Amino acid sequence: MAETAAALRTVAHNVRAARTRAGLSLEELSRRAQVSKGALVGLEKAQGNPNLATLVRLADTLGISVSALMQGSPEGRVRVVAADAVAPLWTGARGSEARLMLTTSGPAPVEVWRWQLQPDEEYPSHPHQAGVVETVSITSGRMTLVVDGTEHPLEAGQTATFDGDTPHAYRGAGTEPCDLIMTVHLPTGPAATA
């Protein structure tokens, strides 16, 4: 419970700092990210329980990574993160999960995610801001990548990349879980006014 409260305080601080850096009022961030102003006020006060979709919309709008909203200051030149040290940001009803392992620093950050999809379980993703590119590398099992309504079957050893500014989904296929590494390549700077 203390870890959850500390994580929420970190998110609250990082959202407020990123919003201030971007010169956005609560009202403007609410409008651009399509998140209610009340939810933003609560989040900046370290109250509530934001879901992955909310964090993604806020990060996209602020032009930063999801992990930049969740992580404290870097602890050194090399960061090593174990999968079991990172709580899932999404879990499905059948046991699927997505863990944001880390985000690289620099002018064009990259998020590194570890996913496991159970057979026939699907995660639908909202389109990201223009310039976001996603890559999925299947390490075991099979999945179906759906981009703008078109299905792309993928299996262990295959990698696919696509522009993330269109509707997309990840769905487990076959009879065994699918393990994959996903990277999200982020553009620099806050999203343009919508």
Side-chain angles (χ1 to χ4, degrees):
M1 190 66 137
E3 289 178 3
T4 302
L8 190 56
R9 284 192 303 274
T10 298
V11 171
H13 174 268
N14 292 341
V15 167
R16 188 173 37 257
R19 179 178 62 77
T20 301
R21 277 193 309 274
L24 298 175
S25 66
L26 282 166
E27 293 83 6
E28 185 62 15
L29 179 57
S30 170
R31 184 186 70 76
R32 289 187 189 186
Q34 298 176 350
V35 173
S36 76
K37 182 180 173 188
L40 284 175
V41 168
L43 182 57
E44 287 194 5
K45 291 181 178 180
Q47 299 169 346
N49 185 17
N51 63 28
L52 178 57
T54 298
L55 293 174
V56 168
R57 284 195 303 273
L58 288 171
D60 280 350
T61 303
L62 293 166
I64 60 177
S65 67
V66 173
S67 65
L69 292 178
M70 301 180 63
Q71 294 176 349
S73 302
E75 296 178 9
R77 293 177 57 125
V78 175
R79 263 189 310 161
V80 177
V81 181
D84 61 356
V86 180
L89 286 178
W90 171 74
T91 54
R94 296 182 182 174
S96 297
E97 63 179 28
R99 295 173 189 259
L100 177 57
M101 301 306 295
L102 60 85
T103 301
T104 63
S105 58
V110 176
E111 295 177 349
V112 179
W113 292 78
R114 183 180 299 257
W115 284 72
Q116 183 175 78
L117 293 170
Q118 297 299 323
D120 299 319
E121 188 155 40
E122 182 171 309
Y123 177 80
S125 180
H126 294 281
H128 302 292
Q129 65 176 303
V132 170
V133 175
E134 292 192 22
T135 302
V136 293
S137 295
I138 313 308
T139 58
S140 68
R142 298 181 334 180
M143 70 167 285
T144 302
L145 172 65
V146 183
V147 179
D148 206 16
T150 302
E151 294 188 357
H152 305 272
L154 300 170
E155 60 186 43
Q158 292 184 311
T159 299
T161 188
F162 61 96
D163 293 334
D165 61 354
T166 187
H168 53 283
Y170 316 101
R171 182 173 57 239
T175 59
E176 300 294 322
C178 175
D179 293 301
L180 64 113
I181 302 297
M182 177 178 62
T183 59
V184 180
H185 303 260
L186 304 165
T188 57
T193 304

